[in-house]
Amino acid sequence: MTLAAAAAAHPGFLSPTGVEIAFVLVGLATFGAALVTVTTKQLVHAALWLVVALGGLAVEYLLLTAEFIAWVQVLIYVGSVVVLLLFGLMLTRAPIGRSPDADSGNRWVALTVALAAAGSLVWVVVDAFRTTWIDLGGPAQGSTEVTGAFLFQHWVLPFEALSVLLLAALVGAIVLSRKRGKEQS
């Protein structure tokens, strides 16, 4: 089978749609924002670049027609986690400018661990879903009905644990800021 025959047999083979092009471009922008998030030496800038990276993921979910997951991404991660992170930075009086102690000098070790973790994650996901088929006859996989049913059947406890963890982090930041305030008085 020649390349032209393959292109004729599969109409999307060599002619990407606008959604596919947008998906790749948003993915590259999200990857760039995530890279800047972990390489910047300013904590507030890292938090703001994290907003861009998480927003890019929400756009990717929208492009995959998983609107519910996209809005959950915006509400939970961009709206709550990043705001909590910024409040934590403000309450603990973290340095706003460049932090010389933000870089421990272990970049090569960190890169090796990150690549090993990414490789392991890809291997586990590919191995877990190798024989999984999506039922196209039922409701759409990204729909609110399917996602809500799955979340409330299997993931209620982790969501509750995450809310307790976030609350504990906020209380800890407040306690740390109050102790420092008393020591300076």
Side-chain angles (χ1 to χ4, degrees):
M1 179 182 266
T2 65
L3 194 59
H10 303 287
F13 179 66
L14 287 177
S15 58
T17 64
V19 172
E20 292 169 342
I21 292 170
F23 188 85
V24 169
L25 292 176
V26 170
L28 289 173
T30 303
F31 179 75
L35 197 61
V36 172
T37 299
V38 298
T39 56
T40 187
K41 291 189 180 205
Q42 296 186 3
L43 294 176
V44 175
H45 288 181
L48 295 176
W49 279 108
L50 182 63
V51 169
V52 174
L54 293 174
L57 282 176
V59 172
E60 295 284 32
Y61 287 132
L62 283 176
L63 291 172
L64 291 171
T65 65
E67 294 87 7
F68 177 71
I69 300 295
W71 288 114
V72 167
Q73 173 80 16
V74 169
L75 290 173
I76 301 291
Y77 289 103
V78 176
S80 300
V81 173
V82 173
V83 169
L84 182 65
L85 178 69
L86 288 172
F87 273 122
L89 286 173
M90 288 186 288
L91 287 173
T92 58
R93 299 181 186 164
I96 299 298
R98 294 180 67 85
S99 263
D101 58 342
D103 187 8
S104 66
N106 295 328
R107 289 180 186 251
W108 292 108
V109 174
L111 180 64
T112 304
V113 169
L115 290 176
S120 299
L121 181 63
V122 167
W123 179 74
V124 165
V125 169
V126 167
D127 187 50
F129 296 107
R130 182 174 296 150
T131 59
T132 302
W133 295 93
I134 297 174
D135 178 26
L136 296 177
Q141 288 296 317
S143 70
T144 308
E145 176 187 354
V146 172
T147 305
F150 187 77
L151 285 176
F152 284 116
Q153 287 175 357
H154 304 289
W155 293 99
V156 172
L157 186 60
F159 274 109
E160 292 300 323
L162 178 65
S163 67
V164 170
L165 178 69
L166 292 174
L167 180 63
L170 182 60
V171 170
I174 292 170
V175 167
L176 284 175
S177 68
R178 288 190 177 263
K179 283 184 181 179
R180 287 188 184 165
K182 287 180 182 178
E183 289 172 3
Q184 291 175 355
S185 296

